[in-house]
Amino acid sequence: MSDQPSEASRPPEKPGAADTPRPPEPPAVAEAADTPAANEPGPSEARTAGAPPADTARPSPAQAYDGRRQPAQAAQQAGQPGNPWQHGAGAPVAKDDGMTARLRPPPPPLIRPAVLGSVLATALLSALFLSDGLGVNLLIVAVPAALAAFFAAQAAGRRLRPWTATWAVGGLALLAVPALRDAGWPTFLAVVSAFALGSLALHGSRSWPGVLIGSLGLFDSVVPGIIWGVRGVRARASGSRANWGVTLRTTAVALVLLVVFGTLFASADAAFAELLGSLMPEASVGAGPWRTLLFALGLAGALAAAHAAAAPVRWDGLTVRPGKPRGRAEWALPLIVLNLLFAAFIALQLVVLFGGYDKVRDVTGLSHAEYARQGFWQLLWATLLTLLVIALALRWAPRGGTGDRTLVRSVLGPLCVLTLVVVASALRRMDLYVDEYGLTRLRISVAAMELWLGVVLILILAAGVFGARFLPRAVAVSAAAGVLAFGLISPDGLIAEQNVQRFEDGRSTSIDIDYVKDLSADAVPALDRLPEPERSCALRIVQNDVLHDDTPWYATSWGEARAKEILEKRPVKGDGSDCYRVGREGTRDGYDPDDGYDPY
């Protein structure tokens, strides 16, 4: 049966309306007008209740905005979704207009029981598992929250897009870093990046403002999500109180059976009791307020994710107007001068890249440490400033036609290539400096950042050849992939491995015990190879943290578990009195400890 009203039920037209041609609607708008909303009554129910026909429905703000565009622009953009997830047709319309109308979507449909169940599971798991630290528990809590967002998006008529799946899978993969590594700094980067990717998965942004703001857009859905959840619970509770009673009785009976028979089995078998005790989180009265706060945070976070999935803010509606185009000479001359300066500098850097530091010492008289200190940070800043120059140059670039595009590519392309050589020079300096004095957290961090900046330059070069449509999302993916790789390689383990290897090869007469003893449990496998007393001095603090910690399984990383196994087999020796003179001969890390200066 057709959803369109009959001729008799149509409202009378205004005078002159029949003679005025209506502008053609885009296919997406026409399809939305013919499809009922997920939370609205069907056609038969609407006719029974005397609802107005579909043709009298007020157009959504997004449709009204599209109608105000130029006909050619509207025809070009018709059928192109504004988000990687497509919105369901017939959703309730917003009543505002202007900029807010472009950003705010229609209100989401009534919250479904599957969404409520997933949200409640997220809150309960947050209260039970997140109070003891971070580990695999983050993945345990993230799964029901992701299901809540999926069910809410499905109810709103959104469908999964490739980029949305990329953000979601990347966010879950980043949450594996706390489960594998004990070090806090890569864990923090991974958790923050996972939150950003999850927010991008919910909002589906593709432009520069959309990617930058959309990565934090989940905060905007916290209050609307709570209001949406409360209204949904009230609506469903008032219409199905009998079902709620059945649910509560069933849950109570299941809990009673689990407690009674679980207690009996635990008292009958000690192995089962130990297994049950290790799996179940500990509950204490003193931790009640903290667990209540975690329950509230998990509830609010899951509701915010579900609301953003059902009705995401269209951050791509924020547009940045391009700058005023400059003349060719005015625009190109400063950049050509900058290219010549880069070329002159790189001509000298080829000596370092191919001649080595022996050639540099003959020319400059600087030692390895002095030359690396003198240049790495300056080259890092030069790379950052070059990216800023490229962004500003693209903003004011001439846009007259094919000749202007060729000029922009011929000027900015060489600048990107020359900057890549600067990146290689900076990484070469850091590599030789580390080979001479060892690896530290700061050194590996800034080297990783410089390497990522090189990847960004390669993406800009690719955008100049194939188009910049995917550049914002490609940069975001490269950043997330870099954080994931940084966590998976175990920075603390790599630092310990490099310093131990230098000590074993005889390139260093001693190892810096004061530094390596503060590394996390990820460094234990490498530090375990040290001879005594260096081994015991380096592992004493880690052993006290690992062996005397009663952290449950869900908050224990794989790095901690492996360190605990190693130290239980070979505990440290002595009382630590001989550690005051170990690793303190001469200079340390390439600088004199008395000068108070260490750039890395």
Side-chain angles (χ1 to χ4, degrees):
M1 181 179 293
S2 174
D3 293 337
Q4 299 297 330
S6 62
E7 293 294 334
S9 63
R10 292 181 183 273
E13 297 181 353
K14 296 181 179 180
D19 299 333
T20 303
R22 297 177 62 184
E25 294 182 346
V29 176
E31 180 183 355
D34 295 338
T35 307
N39 62 333
E40 295 293 333
S44 60
E45 297 175 357
R47 286 192 292 270
T48 304
D55 288 349
T56 62
R58 181 181 178 183
S60 67
Q63 297 171 6
Y65 173 74
D66 289 339
R68 290 194 299 269
R69 296 181 180 179
Q70 297 295 332
Q73 184 180 0
Q76 180 182 1
Q77 295 186 354
Q80 293 184 0
N83 280 291
W85 279 2
Q86 191 79 359
H87 285 283
V93 297
K95 297 183 179 180
D96 49 8
D97 203 352
M99 176 62 73
T100 306
R102 287 191 290 171
L103 300 182
R104 293 292 176 183
L110 187 66
I111 190 169
R112 290 190 173 183
V115 179
L116 287 174
S118 300
V119 168
L120 183 60
T122 304
L124 290 174
L125 293 176
S126 299
L128 291 175
F129 293 116
L130 293 184
S131 61
D132 298 300
L134 299 182
V136 72
N137 48 8
L138 278 179
L139 273 174
I140 296 175
V141 173
V143 169
L147 289 177
F150 174 78
F151 293 143
Q154 194 176 45
R158 300 180 69 188
R159 54 193 179 94
L160 193 64
R161 297 281 185 170
W163 274 104
T164 303
T166 301
W167 302 130
V169 172
L172 292 176
L174 284 166
L175 291 182
V177 174
L180 297 175
R181 304 302 174 209
D182 177 52
W185 51 304
T187 295
F188 173 78
L189 292 176
V191 172
V192 171
S193 301
F195 176 87
L197 289 192
S199 184
L200 287 176
L202 297 173
H203 292 88
S205 302
R206 62 181 65 186
S207 64
W208 281 113
V211 170
L212 294 176
I213 303 177
S215 60
L216 301 174
L218 192 59
F219 290 110
D220 184 74
S221 300
V222 174
V223 175
I226 295 174
I227 297 174
W228 176 58
V230 171
R231 289 176 178 174
V233 170
R234 286 180 178 177
R236 296 195 177 276
S238 61
S240 56
R241 293 183 179 180
N243 294 336
W244 282 100
V246 172
T247 302
L248 292 177
R249 288 195 299 269
T250 303
T251 304
V253 171
L255 289 177
V256 169
L257 292 176
L258 285 176
V259 171
V260 171
F261 285 94
T263 304
L264 290 175
F265 290 150
S267 60
D269 191 295
F272 182 79
E274 183 178 357
L275 176 63
L276 192 64
S278 61
L279 293 178
M280 295 298 295
E282 297 181 0
S284 60
V285 178
W290 174 236
R291 292 184 185 274
T292 302
L293 177 61
L294 290 175
F295 179 90
L297 292 177
L299 187 70
L303 283 174
H307 184 273
V313 180
R314 299 185 181 98
W315 296 114
D316 283 335
L318 295 174
T319 56
V320 179
R321 296 182 180 180
K324 181 180 179 181
R326 306 296 179 180
R328 293 186 178 182
E330 179 186 2
W331 179 86
L333 184 59
L335 295 176
I336 293 175
V337 173
L338 182 62
N339 280 337
L340 294 177
L341 178 62
F342 268 68
F345 176 78
I346 288 170
L348 295 178
Q349 293 304 296
L350 294 178
V351 176
V352 179
L353 292 175
F354 300 107
Y357 270 105
D358 293 336
K359 182 68 175 180
V360 173
R361 185 186 296 109
D362 296 338
V363 175
T364 64
L366 298 176
S367 65
H368 295 186
E370 292 171 342
Y371 191 80
R373 284 182 184 179
Q374 192 182 62
F376 175 81
W377 291 102
Q378 289 86 338
L379 296 183
L380 177 61
W381 279 108
T383 307
L384 290 171
L385 291 177
T386 303
L387 291 175
L388 179 61
V389 168
I390 292 174
L392 295 177
L394 290 174
R395 177 175 174 80
W396 291 308
R399 297 182 291 271
T402 305
D404 289 337
R405 289 194 295 269
T406 302
L407 175 65
V408 171
R409 292 176 179 177
S410 61
V411 173
L412 294 184
L415 181 59
C416 291
V417 174
L418 293 173
T419 309
L420 282 175
V421 182
V422 172
V423 171
S425 175
L427 292 175
R428 175 62 174 168
R429 288 171 184 251
M430 179 58 70
D431 177 64
L432 293 176
Y433 188 81
V434 167
D435 185 68
E436 184 74 17
Y437 299 112
L439 194 61
T440 63
R441 287 176 173 175
L442 183 58
R443 293 169 193 170
I444 193 174
S445 299
V446 294
M449 181 179 178
E450 183 75 13
L451 183 62
W452 175 69
L453 293 177
V455 173
V456 172
L457 287 168
I458 294 175
L459 293 176
I460 294 175
L461 283 172
V465 177
F466 303 105
R469 179 183 177 186
F470 297 108
L471 183 60
R473 289 177 287 186
V475 172
V477 167
S478 68
V483 173
L484 179 61
F486 190 71
L488 293 181
I489 65 172
S490 181
D492 279 7
L494 190 62
I495 292 169
E497 176 67 31
Q498 199 269 351
N499 283 278
V500 171
Q501 188 65 44
R502 291 179 63 253
F503 181 74
E504 292 176 342
D505 295 343
R507 287 178 290 167
S508 176
T509 58
S510 63
I511 188 169
D512 187 1
I513 300 297
D514 283 342
Y515 187 83
V516 298
K517 72 179 182 181
D518 293 326
L519 297 176
S520 65
D522 300 330
V524 169
L527 297 179
D528 185 56
R529 305 203 315 260
L530 289 173
E532 295 292 348
E534 284 84 357
R535 177 186 177 275
S536 295
C537 294
L539 295 178
R540 190 173 305 278
I541 295 178
V542 178
Q543 176 174 284
N544 294 334
D545 294 337
V546 171
L547 297 186
H548 300 88
D549 191 8
D550 56 351
T551 304
W553 63 272
Y554 49 81
T556 301
S557 65
W558 179 68
E560 290 177 285
R562 184 175 56 170
K564 183 176 182 180
E565 181 182 359
I566 293 174
L567 292 174
E568 284 178 344
K569 292 180 180 179
R570 294 182 57 199
V572 300
K573 301 177 181 179
D575 56 357
S577 59
D578 53 349
C579 295
Y580 291 101
R581 63 179 182 273
V582 176
R584 290 175 172 82
E585 294 84 1
T587 60
R588 175 169 59 90
D589 286 346
Y591 73 101
D592 188 353
D594 296 331
D595 65 5
Y597 173 71
D598 180 15
Y600 306 125

